[in-house]
Amino acid sequence: LTGVPGFPLPTIHTQQAYAPDADFTAHWTRADAMQIKAHSNPSVAAGQNSLPGQLIMPDIPADFPTINPDVWVWDTWTLIDKHANQFSYNGWEVIFCLTADKNAGYGFDDRHTHARIGFFYRRAGIPADKRPANGGWIYGGHIIPEGAQEQVFAGTTYTITAEWSGSMRLLDPNSNQVSLFYTDMAFNRNAAGQDITPAQAVITQSLGQIHADFNHVWFTGFTTHTPLLRPDGVLYQNGAQNPYYNFRDPFTFEDPNHPGVNYMVFEGNTPGQRGIPNCTATDLGYRPNDPHAETLQQVLDSGAYYQKAAIGLAVAEDASLSKWKFLTPLVEANCVNDQTERPQMYIKDGKYYIFTISHRTTYAAGVDGPDGVYGFVGNGIRSDFQPMNYGSGLVLGNPTDLNTAAGTDYDANPQQNPRAFQSYSHYVMPGGLVESFIDTVENRRGGTLSPTVKVQIKSDASAVDLRYGNGGLGGYGDIPANRADVNIAGF
Ligand code: FRU
């Protein structure tokens, strides 16, 4: 890496693997994240995309179709085995989405406190260009019986609950037993919507069964909800330390290097009281004598220490995946960004990739990057992870003008690229296919599935495949299974 004139060099990361339970955390440093700005064009016309084309999702047309007239849809996941293969069931593809009722009198931006995990299904094995434009998904309703998830909060004070993201494991590809891992949320809010006490976030397991016949797919179970993990304030920040803590989005997997052991990655924050200015030289990551390095004092004076994202790791302590123990975070982004959401472990060609999603507006002072997917590569599930693409971490961003203020998805900056919030909550699927939801395109709100795109992943680099689909955009909500469940007992 030779670096970009006028910018610091990225941190040296060896990709060396450590034992999963070792006390080693990789750092996505300020020196790393600075590479995004270093590769952004400072002189594009306002509102254009300033970022390298191979790392940017093609423009979603403003006349996109919607998946369903009655429910908002955002974070979406698939039915996976321990290696993240995506299964169809009895000839049906199935997806799980956070959903909220469009007809209940609240808008897309109020969805989070109303989120329920819903499911959709469609026949497997039909090419995207033979399906309806919106992907042809049939809405199946909620997964969890009304109120069942509230058992986790028995004896506590709350005013409203929600079901936030997670993952769905097919426990045995020859049976219909499935395990939902999700984030059970309880909010205690006043009439103005402000927190009286910090929200409770509990990573929770619930078991159920998938069923299908010739006409439809349905689920049973999900009546018992087992709390698995609450942030301990020691390895992961909790609500007493920071009312705005992030703790959610469990994704479970097996490491081929540790057969029979189950791990979980999740979104967290570095522990400690909010507002204590304690980032370190390691978080900055500058090389000795780099003429473009910031001093620690400059960074602390900027207030960057309010942003302290962490990608967590836990290990299962029983075969039924109902008891878990925290391990040291895999990655921390202190003084870099506050949210590394929906992390997943993606194993390809002997390399271990962590993909995660993040926002422009959760960056710390002095560092910048678009909404989208970020990636880190190492030689094991715990590694000195190297941020992908010239050391920056950026893998798949929305078209964004980094020279112009962000605005928000609900209140656009008219000078900003009208697609800077076009998509979010991306999940990288087998073969490098990436699904996500549409947030805002030219001020039109989405709440529906994006066109699938494809990224080519090689070593520490990636590029959007512009030959995939139509100029790089595949079908809306094209989320294909790469494995078929062999159990055809339902027929
Ligand atoms: C990402 C996310 C997740 C969370 C959900 C809540 O879009 O912030 O981290 O589970 O949305 O709606």
Side-chain angles (χ1 to χ4, degrees), residues 74-75 98 111-112 115 164-165 183 248-249 267 339 341-342 357 359 424-425 437:
W74 65 109
D75 298 19
L98 296 190
R111 67 190 182 277
H112 301 288
W164 283 11
S165 286
T183 317
R248 52 184 179 262
D249 303 350
E267 172 181 5
Q339 294 191 343
E341 310 203 273
R342 293 194 70 192
I357 51 169
H359 296 286
Y424 193 60
S425 212
F437 77 88

Side-chain angles (χ1 to χ4, degrees), residues 45-99:
Q48 299 298 302
N49 169 51
S50 69
L51 293 162
Q54 77 274 14
L55 304 183
I56 295 303
M57 187 171 176
D59 284 3
I60 299 176
D63 64 350
F64 56 82
T66 53
I67 184 171
N68 187 274
D70 297 317
V71 285
W72 300 114
V73 165
W74 65 109
D75 298 19
T76 294
W77 59 95
T78 54
L79 180 62
I80 58 172
D81 69 2
K82 61 191 177 184
H83 294 132
N85 285 305
Q86 304 190 156
F87 279 77
S88 61
Y89 186 77
N90 286 358
W92 298 95
E93 290 173 345
V94 189
I95 53 172
F96 307 93
C97 311
L98 296 190
T99 62

Side-chain angles (χ1 to χ4, degrees), residues 205-354:
Q205 180 190 36
S206 188
L207 300 175
Q209 300 79 36
I210 183 170
H211 309 271
D213 62 16
F214 195 70
N215 297 311
H216 74 310
V217 172
W218 71 100
F219 288 85
T220 52
F222 303 112
T223 51
T224 301
H225 291 251
T226 307
L228 304 179
L229 294 166
R230 294 181 170 90
D232 58 359
V234 178
L235 289 170
Y236 299 97
Q237 192 178 52
N238 62 24
Q241 296 172 330
N242 176 3
Y244 311 111
Y245 75 108
N246 301 288
F247 182 79
R248 52 184 179 262
D249 303 350
F251 172 91
T252 70
F253 64 98
E254 194 178 289
D255 176 3
N257 278 331
H258 298 90
V261 186
N262 281 280
Y263 295 99
M264 176 196 291
V265 286
F266 56 89
E267 172 181 5
N269 284 114
T270 302
Q273 286 296 324
R274 172 179 159 87
I276 299 210
N278 58 0
C279 295
T280 66
T282 304
D283 299 317
L284 273 54
Y286 295 111
R287 302 188 193 185
N289 306 318
D290 189 321
H292 303 291
E294 306 162 291
T295 66
L296 186 53
Q297 197 57 50
Q298 284 170 333
V299 173
L300 296 180
D301 288 348
S302 76
Y305 50 84
Y306 283 99
Q307 281 72 35
K308 300 181 105 175
I311 295 175
L313 184 70
V315 60
E317 297 192 289
D318 66 357
S320 56
L321 311 184
S322 66
K323 275 195 76 191
W324 294 77
K325 187 178 82 178
F326 282 134
L327 298 173
T328 301
L330 293 179
V331 179
E332 286 178 350
N334 306 321
C335 279
V336 173
N337 198 306
D338 202 46
Q339 294 191 343
T340 45
E341 310 203 273
R342 293 194 70 192
Q344 55 177 128
M345 189 68 70
Y346 195 90
I347 303 171
K348 181 180 183 292
D349 303 333
K351 288 287 185 189
Y352 290 72
Y353 296 87
I354 297 176

Side-chain angles (χ1 to χ4, degrees), residues 110-116 149-150 153 156-164 183-190 193-201 243 245 248:
D110 299 315
R111 67 190 182 277
H112 301 288
T113 47
H114 299 281
R116 297 286 163 218
Q149 42 84 231
E150 301 202 345
F153 303 111
T156 72
T157 303
Y158 58 87
T159 53
I160 191 166
T161 61
E163 301 158 13
W164 283 11
T183 317
D184 205 354
M185 296 294 301
F187 303 88
N188 183 26
R189 294 196 163 168
N190 64 20
Q194 289 150 341
D195 284 339
I196 300 164
T197 51
Q200 301 179 60
Y245 75 108
R248 52 184 179 262

